[in-house]
Amino acid sequence: MEKLDKTCSICLHDRKQPKILTCLHVYCCQCLLDYVNKSLKDGQFPCPLSREQIQLPSGGVRNFRIFLKVMEVMTK
């Protein structure tokens, strides 16, 4: 079985409250909040890895889905 990478590519630590973007990249909620605050333009921001433009949900970063598989692995 392939090992699931649980490292946030922004802070380089284990992801905390992992949020998944529409491009399927996953980051810590707080890292994503900080990143979006610096890079948001017209309701969109580039994914830190793929640079794909991501639409910010109406409720903000906290309304991105939680990446449950990472949460399961981190609690084992």
Side-chain angles (χ1 to χ4, degrees):
M1 186 169 138
E2 186 178 323
K3 184 180 175 188
L4 181 64
D5 183 12
K6 57 184 179 176
T7 304
C8 172
S9 62
I10 295 175
C11 69
L12 304 177
H13 295 286
D14 286 350
R15 295 181 190 115
K16 294 181 178 143
Q17 297 178 316
K19 296 292 186 171
I20 187 166
L21 304 181
T22 53
C23 61
L24 304 181
H25 289 117
V26 184
Y27 306 96
C28 297
C29 183
Q30 188 59 52
C31 291
L32 199 54
L33 277 166
D34 294 343
Y35 176 79
V36 168
N37 284 337
K38 295 174 188 170
S39 58
L40 187 67
K41 183 176 181 180
D42 298 325
Q44 295 186 333
F45 64 94
C47 168
L49 284 176
S50 67
R51 311 313 285 169
E52 179 179 327
Q53 286 297 309
I54 306 295
Q55 182 70 41
L56 187 65
S58 60
V61 167
R62 296 191 191 282
N63 279 5
F64 281 114
R65 291 182 173 263
I66 295 173
F67 188 53
L68 296 177
K69 185 65 176 174
V70 171
M71 295 295 286
E72 290 171 16
V73 169
M74 290 176 68
T75 57
K76 289 185 179 179

